[in-house]
Amino acid sequence: METFKIKNLSFAYPNQDKWALNYISLTIHSGEFVTLCGKSGCGKSTLLKSLKSSLAPFGEKHGAIYFEKKPLDSLDLREQAASIGYVLQNPDNQIVTDKVWHELAFGLENLGYDNKTIRLRVAEMANFFGIQSWFMKNVSELSGGQKQLLNLAAIMAMQPSVLILDEPTSQLDPIAASDFINTIKKINQDLGTTIVLSEHRLEEVFPISDRIIVMDRGIIIADSTPGEAGKKLKALNHDMFCAMPPSIRICEDLENGLKSSNYPLTVKESRIWIGDLFKDKEIKKSSIERKKELLDDEKVAIELKDVWFRYERQEPDVIQDLSLKILKGQIYAIVGGNGTGKSTALSIVSGINSPHRGTVKINGKNIKQFKDKELFNENLGVLPQNPQSIFVEMTVREELYEMFSNSKFNKSKNIETDKFINEVIDLMEIRSLLNMHPYDLSGGEQQKVAFAKVMLLKPNIILLDEPTKALDSHFKIKFAEILKTLKSQGVTILLVSHDIEFCAEYADVCSLFFNGSIVTTNAPDKFFSGNAFYTTFSNRMTRHIFNNAITVEDVVKLCRQNLG
């Protein structure tokens, strides 16, 4: 049975020359698990929102969408709310009540169910999702992972036949993201719910997907099984191949992928595959030799010493005895679970929050001695976790020029500044977005615009909170090159991230945050090769053979050295 049938769907946002969707034709069958992927701005979110009338974007639309053989527009909002569940990227944007139990019941109350049915379904969902221990809590007390799980449970209480999820793990730590994906898998397999999922982190969802649909510039360029999708993108020499799970890229780089009928997709399959590759062969080289970068220990850009912080006087400390030292020209990454205090630590470094004990120094000077203008215009640039929090204008172009609104800069006369703005526009690949409202952009496009605003400040220290969230893998590579260029110019970069693969490949130093403090710090290869869960797919795949291979490039290099 067909869940969705899409015929020649085209869509354009107001005042835009290009089509966000261009003659999309697609059928999704009942019970399928479909993963939608593509570069930022390719039309994924627009397509997903079009599948639910209450979320459909405003603009010029052509074509038809059918839900269970009926025109989607013919279904009233109650029918759509009951049958089509939708989980947004940011859990805070979907929660509407103050208590966990009430959030679970809220959708059912609005659909007019009686109390007996509501109590039964709420109890069932609380048990299914393991919510019993925090059932009576305030929503404000939950971690990001718990909030997203609550959103999912509240939607599933209405027993929808299809569940649409738009990058639901983008703000979750690796363990919470893995748990969330496993829950979706269980919903699909145990309840038969149709899943349509948009995602950038593909290593977790590839093994459980029936189909992979790849989009580019509003059209579908691949629609096949997970293994075939990788082969098609490789044959097309498409940028999206770099987003494929590490096991697929490793197979292809070793020129075995196209010769084998099936790619290994899970860690277990990948370990068996690489074990067979080295069967009866001697491992002559098991470690990557890395050159240690020499930095001046005297040039400290950021220093925190014995820092303690709490939001309210009667509440427990969120930051506990935190000390860290970041050298000038260093890319320093902090990873850790949701709710451990990472973003709070970043707010203390930026001066937004002040510790009740301990000292914070920026370039050797106590942060309390800085005036706000001196701190942010000459030293710090901050990219917040929610890029929308720094958007204040009606178009992207105005957002960029707003960075100079408090200066003597005149748009028509200052040629040098105008040139600089255009260089940043091209560097961040946002020229086509200049006339759009920032809130109409995709999550990845908003990240690009927000970082462009930060770069226009020319700060010597940049603080990044989840900078790769919603960025596609192709632009992540360019983003890393931008960070490396800034580093070569003496800029210090402190980033908080759930993107383990990105930190492993591009950070100079990694730290693990837990319970308000740093528990361990090391170079990426030593840091990730010593962890069981906070580590990369490549390391889990090869740690029984190699010692410190943490990236695809590491694995390919060691394989080639040992296989000749």
Side-chain angles (χ1 to χ4, degrees):
M1 182 178 173
E2 297 172 354
T3 296
F4 283 110
K5 190 175 185 66
I6 303 169
K7 289 185 177 181
N8 297 322
L9 180 65
S10 296
F11 177 83
Y13 286 95
N15 304 318
Q16 293 299 306
D17 297 329
K18 65 175 184 177
W19 292 92
L21 300 175
N22 206 341
Y23 291 102
I24 297 288
S25 291
L26 178 67
T27 300
I28 297 172
H29 297 284
S30 178
E32 274 193 311
F33 193 120
V34 179
T35 295
L36 189 64
C37 57
K39 295 163 71 173
S40 295
C42 71
K44 300 188 304 296
S45 294
T46 303
L47 178 58
L48 291 183
K49 288 177 181 177
S50 299
L51 299 179
K52 189 163 184 173
S53 299
S54 59
L55 296 175
F58 177 75
E60 184 180 350
K61 177 182 170 184
H62 303 286
I65 303 174
Y66 297 90
F67 176 71
E68 295 180 351
K69 298 186 177 181
K70 298 178 183 177
L72 183 64
D73 293 338
S74 70
L75 275 68
D76 61 37
L77 293 180
R78 187 188 186 284
E79 287 179 288
Q80 289 195 35
S83 300
I84 305 172
Y86 201 108
V87 177
L88 300 173
Q89 191 177 119
N90 187 343
D92 289 317
N93 290 346
Q94 198 160 359
I95 292 172
V96 293
T97 67
D98 59 343
K99 295 286 186 179
V100 170
W101 66 267
H102 197 188
E103 189 67 27
L104 286 171
F106 184 78
L108 297 169
E109 290 172 346
N110 279 274
L111 291 175
Y113 284 95
D114 59 84
N115 285 339
K116 185 178 179 181
T117 302
I118 292 173
R119 288 172 63 86
L120 173 61
R121 290 204 188 175
V122 166
E124 186 179 36
M125 288 302 116
N127 281 287
F128 183 85
F129 288 95
I131 292 175
Q132 306 97 314
S133 60
W134 37 283
F135 185 74
M136 301 302 295
K137 278 191 173 184
N138 292 322
V139 170
S140 59
E141 298 176 42
L142 305 183
S143 68
Q146 288 173 323
K147 286 179 181 178
Q148 197 65 299
L149 195 64
L150 175 60
N151 279 335
L152 181 59
I155 289 166
M156 290 308 299
M158 293 182 281
Q159 297 181 354
S161 59
V162 60
L163 181 62
I164 302 170
L165 306 103
D166 190 3
E167 296 183 32
T169 67
S170 64
Q171 300 196 46
L172 304 185
D173 66 76
I175 295 174
S178 181
D179 289 343
F180 188 84
I181 293 296
N182 284 330
T183 302
I184 297 171
K185 175 185 175 182
K186 192 175 180 183
I187 289 170
N188 176 245
Q189 293 183 347
D190 293 359
L191 305 180
T193 307
T194 306
I195 304 293
V196 185
L197 168 72
S198 167
E199 188 59 80
H200 281 306
R201 296 192 293 193
L202 298 176
E203 57 266 19
E204 294 279 358
V205 299
F206 251 60
I208 59 176
S209 298
D210 298 311
R211 286 165 65 193
I212 302 294
I213 296 174
V214 185
M215 293 186 65
D216 187 15
R217 299 177 187 178
I219 65 172
I220 293 173
I221 60 171
D223 181 358
S224 59
T225 63
E228 287 298 322
K231 290 178 183 178
K232 284 186 178 181
L233 292 173
K234 183 66 175 179
L236 291 170
N237 195 27
H238 197 274
D239 292 339
M240 268 301 293
F241 182 76
C242 66
M244 294 296 100
S247 57
I248 292 179
R249 287 183 284 142
I250 289 168
C251 284
E252 285 293 354
D253 281 346
L254 293 173
E255 299 180 346
N256 285 309
L258 292 174
K259 298 173 186 176
S260 62
S261 58
N262 293 306
Y263 287 116
L265 296 177
T266 65
V267 171
K268 181 180 178 179
E269 291 171 356
S270 301
R271 286 169 69 92
I272 292 171
W273 177 84
I274 203 162
D276 290 341
L277 196 65
F278 285 97
K279 189 176 182 180
D280 301 324
K281 293 183 177 69
E282 181 185 355
I283 305 295
K284 298 175 182 177
K285 196 168 183 65
S286 60
S287 299
I288 294 283
E289 294 178 8
R290 306 180 196 273
K291 292 182 180 179
K292 188 174 182 181
E293 186 178 14
L294 296 176
L295 293 173
D296 190 345
D297 290 345
E298 298 299 317
K299 293 183 178 179
V300 180
I302 301 171
E303 185 174 11
L304 274 65
K305 191 172 182 181
D306 305 329
V307 168
W308 293 74
F309 173 81
R310 64 172 72 106
Y311 283 102
E312 299 292 341
R313 184 180 293 272
Q314 303 302 321
E315 291 183 0
D317 286 294
V318 179
I319 301 297
Q320 303 180 34
D321 200 22
L322 172 61
S323 295
L324 68 85
K325 185 183 290 186
I326 303 172
L327 304 181
K328 183 179 179 181
Q330 201 170 48
I331 300 177
Y332 193 110
I334 296 177
V335 301
N338 291 98
T340 55
K342 304 185 303 299
S343 294
T344 302
L346 218 57
S347 72
I348 290 171
V349 175
S350 68
I352 294 172
N353 287 312
S354 298
H356 64 81
R357 195 190 314 171
T359 57
V360 180
K361 292 183 179 180
I362 303 296
N363 290 323
K365 182 178 177 180
N366 194 308
I367 198 169
K368 294 179 180 179
Q369 297 174 352
F370 285 97
K371 295 179 180 178
D372 284 347
K373 185 176 180 181
E374 180 188 6
L375 183 62
F376 288 101
N377 287 5
E378 299 174 20
N379 287 281
L380 289 178
V382 181
L383 177 67
Q385 191 173 115
N386 181 6
Q388 291 184 359
S389 64
I390 63 172
F391 294 153
V392 294
E393 302 291 347
M394 297 299 290
T395 67
V396 170
R397 179 181 276 106
E398 290 170 335
E399 285 290 347
L400 301 178
Y401 279 99
E402 183 266 337
M403 301 306 290
F404 299 90
S405 60
N406 294 324
S407 68
K408 297 178 181 178
F409 166 60
N410 183 304
K411 296 180 197 176
S412 61
K413 294 181 180 179
N414 196 322
I415 298 173
E416 285 301 314
T417 306
D418 205 34
K419 180 183 176 183
F420 176 48
I421 291 175
N422 277 285
E423 286 174 355
V424 172
I425 287 170
D426 290 332
L427 186 65
M428 299 306 295
E429 300 178 4
I430 56 175
R431 187 165 295 280
S432 63
L433 312 177
L434 294 178
N435 294 324
M436 293 185 70
H437 193 288
Y439 279 47
D440 287 338
L441 306 180
S442 70
E445 289 169 338
Q446 289 182 349
Q447 288 290 99
K448 291 180 184 181
V449 173
F451 189 66
K453 293 189 71 171
V454 172
M455 289 186 67
L456 290 173
L457 289 172
K458 294 185 178 180
N460 56 50
I461 296 173
I462 299 179
L463 309 180
L464 306 171
D465 198 350
E466 299 293 345
T468 63
K469 177 188 74 216
L471 292 184
D472 60 76
S473 295
H474 173 71
F475 191 81
K476 276 185 195 178
I477 297 172
K478 182 169 184 178
F479 180 67
E481 292 301 320
I482 293 170
L483 295 188
K484 287 195 280 188
T485 300
L486 291 169
K487 173 188 168 180
S488 69
Q489 297 168 355
V491 177
T492 305
I493 297 159
L494 170 60
L495 64 100
V496 163
S497 181
H498 292 316
D499 194 336
I500 297 296
E501 307 285 339
F502 186 86
C503 295
E505 191 154 2
Y506 301 112
D508 299 315
V509 178
C510 292
S511 290
L512 178 65
F513 220 83
F514 176 73
N515 196 29
S517 191
I518 288 172
V519 294
T520 184
T521 300
N522 219 324
D525 61 330
K526 294 178 181 176
F527 178 87
F528 289 110
S529 57
N531 295 337
F533 296 103
Y534 273 93
T535 190
T536 62
F537 188 104
S538 299
N539 182 252
R540 284 181 282 149
M541 170 182 173
T542 62
R543 65 195 316 166
H544 62 302
I545 294 176
F546 303 136
N547 294 329
N548 65 344
I550 60 171
T551 66
V552 169
E553 290 73 18
D554 289 347
V555 174
V556 171
K557 184 176 181 179
L558 285 173
C559 285
R560 284 181 173 158
Q561 287 176 345
N562 284 286
L563 295 172

